């Protein structure tokens, strides 16, 4: 695919603990022109998370209202919590040619593929299954039951890699982030394409 025709909407998926948030933190600093969608979730906030930056935290009742009103581009239940992408902000960024990144789970990636076939689906893979388990346990954010659910789900997520357009291996954080930035394209290219 030539640079100018790179898709403007990119989905980043991969098993829990592979390093999606860590890669996104690097992208925030190194590629500030990329707009990162802020999802809504019913999950409890982790200490390091900031409302409105990492997620919008909502009750189940509020979330169900968003679903009912059709304000979500996609949504899914993951390990006992609901997660969804607000539609309006994503559509606004795509319309103006800003490279847009959604960090969503496998079910969400499938919904985006259906709704927007031109989206680019990127799978973030661990160097090995053992390393994935080490990272998820090492993060120390989950209680034993949630950890068990996330680990059990990881094999299903790893098996879905073939549904994606591209795989980026998160071996070294900076290297993986660089590779993803290359796939996202730049706003200059997006603007140039707009005038073609
Ligand atoms: P995810 O968002 O995919 O669930 P995180 O970004 O929270 O995963 O990463 C899980 C853990 O793995 C974190 O403790 C993070 O610091 C660590 N980690 C992420 N990328 C790497 C890497 N390339 N090498 C080593 N550790 C990593
Ligand atoms: P976490 O609780 O670790 O932040 O996220 C758990 C899973 O939910 C991850 O796979 C993450 O990509 C996914 N997720 C986060 N936001 C969304 C969203 O808006 N939609 C969907 N479908 N999944 C999401």
């Amino acid at each position: 695919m030539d640079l100018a025709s790179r898709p403007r909407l990119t989905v980043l998926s991969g098993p829990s603990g592979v390093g999606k948030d860590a890669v996104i933190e690097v992208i925030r600093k190194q590629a500030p022109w990329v707009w990162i969608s802020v999802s809504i979730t019913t999950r409890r906030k982790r200490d390091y998370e900031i409302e409105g930056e990492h997620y919008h935290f909502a009750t189940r009742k509020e979330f169900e209202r968003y679903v009912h009103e059709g304000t979500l581009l996609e949504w899914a239940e993951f390990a006992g919590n609901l997660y969804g992408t607000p539609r309006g902000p994503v559509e606004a960024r795509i319309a103006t040619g800003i490279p847009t990144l959604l960090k969503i789970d496998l079910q969400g990636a499938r919904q985006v593929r259906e709704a927007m076939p031109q989206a680019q689906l990127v799978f973030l893979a661990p160097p090995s299954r053992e390393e994935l388990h080490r990272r998820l346990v090492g993060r120390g954010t989950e209680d034993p039951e949630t950890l068990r659910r996330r680990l059990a789900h990881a094999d299903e997520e790893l098996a879905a890699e073939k549904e994606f357009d591209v795989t980026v291996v998160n071996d070294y954080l900076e290297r993986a982030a660089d590779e993803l930035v290359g796939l996202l394209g730049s706003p200059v290219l997006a603007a140039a394409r707009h005038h073609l």
Side-chain angles (χ1 to χ4, degrees):
M1 189 184 302
D2 67 85
L3 283 178
S5 62
R6 274 203 170 128
R8 291 173 214 156
L9 178 69
T10 302
V11 166
L12 181 67
S13 284
S16 186
V18 69
K20 298 181 293 300
D21 279 337
V23 166
I24 283 175
E25 282 312 312
V26 178
I27 290 178
R28 272 189 217 283
K29 293 192 193 96
Q30 292 186 356
W33 58 88
V34 173
W35 184 73
I36 297 154
S37 168
V38 182
S39 295
I40 300 172
T41 184
T42 62
R43 163 165 81 57
R44 189 179 43 82
K45 189 171 94 55
R46 296 176 186 145
D47 288 345
Y48 60 85
E49 288 176 327
I50 299 165
E51 156 65 38
E53 186 177 318
H54 296 94
Y55 282 108
H56 296 293
F57 295 92
T59 62
R60 213 163 237 271
K61 202 168 167 195
E62 287 165 340
F63 195 100
E64 281 160 2
R65 184 161 50 81
Y66 296 133
V67 172
H68 184 69
E69 290 169 350
T71 50
L72 302 179
L73 176 64
E74 60 72 39
W75 67 276
E77 179 144 14
F78 183 93
N81 294 298
L82 299 172
Y83 297 83
T85 305
R87 181 193 299 277
V90 172
E91 287 180 349
R93 271 30 172 238
I94 297 171
T96 46
I98 295 171
T100 295
L101 184 62
L102 309 187
K103 181 207 74 169
I104 60 180
D105 85 322
L106 178 58
Q107 307 163 72
R110 288 174 177 151
Q111 292 174 51
V112 171
R113 166 131 286 166
E114 282 287 306
M116 299 177 168
Q118 73 282 15
Q120 167 174 245
L121 267 52
V122 179
F123 187 82
L124 192 66
S128 68
R129 192 168 171 272
E130 292 67 38
E131 173 63 12
L132 176 67
H133 286 204
R134 256 195 302 279
R135 286 183 192 173
L136 189 54
V137 173
R139 191 171 66 192
T141 51
E142 314 304 321
D143 60 58
E145 171 54 17
T146 318
L147 186 60
R148 191 195 59 73
R149 286 165 92 164
R150 286 183 182 237
L151 287 173
H153 193 52
D155 286 336
E156 188 189 323
E157 291 182 296
L158 287 171
E161 180 184 344
K162 55 186 178 303
E163 293 177 39
F164 286 74
D165 300 313
V166 195
T167 293
V168 171
V169 179
N170 182 16
D171 41 13
Y172 299 101
L173 202 48
E174 302 283 333
R175 197 210 59 74
D178 269 4
E179 194 179 334
L180 186 58
V181 168
L183 291 167
L184 281 159
S186 70
V188 178
L189 285 172
R193 181 176 51 223
H194 190 70
H195 292 294
L196 285 179

